[in-house]
Amino acid sequence: MWQYEKKLQYPVKIKNPNPKYAQIIISQYGGPDGELGASMRYLTQRYSMPFDDAKAALTDIGTEELAHLEMICAMVHQLTRNLTPEEIKKSGFDKYFVDHTAAVYPIAASSLPWRAEYIQAKGDILADLHEDLAADATTAKEQPAFQKARKPLI
């Protein structure tokens, strides 16, 4: 099956909490193109894949997405730990905090909780792989703009 090392693929060490950044990054966890949906998409589609090599690739990719999920959770946790009530209210994080406190909950930046409809599994090889490519292309396209717009977290 898998061999799990109890460490993040890439260490996350955020020194300064920032609930504004957490509200943006949480979409990479539970948003429509986030890591939770991606991991479930690949790990679900593998079962209807008729070719062993393709099935193995989808399993590997889905597992990799779980590692990304773990890193995103670490980021959100570190960005929201030890916040004062004033910081929570001032940042607008209070709406999230009321329901989830500082727990990492699969939700989009728009405040919509993660939904199973974010994943697609049609059982048609071309449709499923096209969905995977489209979802990854959307995420990759949005990343550079986000990178330019933000200040370093650390």
Side-chain angles (χ1 to χ4, degrees), residues 19-76:
K20 285 277 190 202
Y21 284 141
Q23 291 173 41
I24 296 167
I25 291 172
I26 200 133
S27 267
Q28 270 306 111
Y29 178 51
D33 296 313
E35 304 299 339
L36 181 59
S39 62
M40 294 298 101
R41 180 183 310 111
Y42 291 115
L43 293 172
T44 300
Q45 290 174 355
R46 72 173 297 280
Y47 288 99
S48 58
M49 193 57 60
F51 308 110
D52 288 342
D53 287 346
K55 186 179 293 190
L58 290 174
T59 302
D60 290 347
I61 296 167
T63 304
E64 183 77 14
E65 298 294 345
L66 291 172
H68 299 167
L69 185 70
E70 193 173 28
M71 288 184 290
I72 297 297
C73 289
M75 289 175 166
V76 172

Side-chain angles (χ1 to χ4, degrees), residues 94-107:
D94 52 335
K95 294 167 189 69
Y96 176 94
F97 193 84
V98 166
D99 292 331
H100 311 291
T101 64
V104 182
Y105 180 75
I107 195 166

Side-chain angles (χ1 to χ4, degrees), residues 28 32-33 131-144:
Q28 270 306 111
D33 296 313
E131 164 67 22
D132 299 340
L133 290 171
D136 281 338
T138 301
T139 304
K141 186 170 57 175
E142 292 173 0
Q143 296 275 338

Side-chain angles (χ1 to χ4, degrees), residues 123-138:
D124 177 288
I125 301 167
L126 294 177
D128 285 349
L129 292 177
H130 188 273
E131 164 67 22
D132 299 340
L133 290 171
D136 281 338
T138 301

